[in-house]
Amino acid sequence: MTRPEIQEDVSRDAIAAAFQNAMASHLRSHVPGTNINEQTFLASDYLNQFHELVMLLEALPVDPSAFGPDLHRWQAVDYEEHFNRSALDNKDLAIAAYRRAPEKVREQFDSAVARLQAEALRVVAAVGQTLDNQNDLTMTCSGAASRLRVLIDDANAIANGYVSDGDGGQGAKRGQITIDTLFRLRKR
């Protein structure tokens, strides 16, 4: 007995879109009660490594010999590696959700994180060069912490859905404001 061929009157694109929507709905059903934003599918916990760097910069001028080695060991890790290393219960869900984050949101977030990582690497190098000069160290750490906070806030806003695709171009304006703020803070 042969089966008649099933006639498809739905395009492959429509099937793919329906599947993606079903996956997003499934993920969304597991997100409540976790650290993952239900709309962006991003977890701002990723930014904790940068918050830790800011705290290190604030502590460093108090005791450079104690905190200097921590500064030299600090390294940024990408989103998935961060959660793979973490002890969070929902780390696998955080990685899966990140992979399914809305494309434009993820692009904005990844771009903000790239700026944050680049600045963090500049900060670590600059502060490392001033460890022996207390006056320069205090000033450098203060300015560096301020710049990092601006970038952390930018990435955090994206992760928590405070920036939308339909923002009327405000995302680009916000990005320029962030960059202008960084340059202003670097000059201090």
Side-chain angles (χ1 to χ4, degrees):
M1 174 189 264
T2 63
R3 295 180 15 197
E5 296 231 2
I6 298 174
Q7 296 294 322
E8 283 189 31
D9 57 348
V10 179
S11 72
R12 289 185 185 272
D13 290 341
I15 293 170
F19 178 75
Q20 289 174 344
N21 286 337
M23 286 295 299
S25 292
H26 177 74
L27 277 171
R28 201 166 274 115
S29 73
H30 291 283
V31 168
T34 69
N35 58 346
I36 303 166
N37 182 283
E38 291 183 42
Q39 300 306 311
T40 66
F41 284 167
L42 300 172
S44 61
D45 282 6
Y46 168 70
L47 302 172
N48 287 347
Q49 65 182 306
F50 300 103
H51 286 290
E52 290 168 5
L53 179 58
V54 168
M55 289 188 296
L56 178 61
L57 292 170
E58 292 169 342
L60 200 57
V62 175
D63 193 351
S65 61
F67 295 109
D70 293 332
L71 178 74
H72 291 299
R73 282 192 301 270
W74 188 89
Q75 290 183 331
V77 295
D78 69 23
Y79 192 93
E80 291 189 25
E81 182 64 23
H82 171 78
F83 284 103
N84 279 324
R85 292 180 182 183
S86 83
L88 294 172
D89 290 338
N90 61 345
K91 66 184 183 178
D92 293 331
L93 180 61
I95 292 169
Y98 172 76
R99 292 176 181 171
R100 296 278 187 245
E103 186 177 339
K104 289 189 184 218
V105 172
R106 185 167 163 189
E107 286 173 2
Q108 288 176 333
F109 182 74
D110 288 346
S111 178
V113 166
R115 288 190 304 272
L116 179 54
Q117 288 176 340
E119 185 65 21
L121 293 174
R122 276 192 290 277
V123 161
V124 168
V127 171
Q129 293 175 353
T130 63
L131 282 174
D132 295 331
N133 184 330
Q134 186 64 39
N135 290 336
D136 286 348
L137 179 62
T138 300
M139 247 177 32
T140 302
C141 286
S142 175
S146 295
R147 291 191 309 274
L148 288 175
R149 278 191 203 95
V150 168
L151 292 168
I152 291 168
D153 289 348
D154 190 41
N156 193 49
I158 296 165
N160 287 303
Y162 298 123
V163 178
S164 68
D165 292 340
D167 66 1
Q170 294 300 310
K173 184 177 178 183
R174 188 196 78 256
Q176 188 60 50
I177 291 169
T178 300
I179 291 166
D180 292 346
T181 302
L182 288 175
F183 282 117
R184 193 171 54 255
L185 288 171
R186 277 193 192 141
K187 291 179 182 177
R188 287 184 183 174

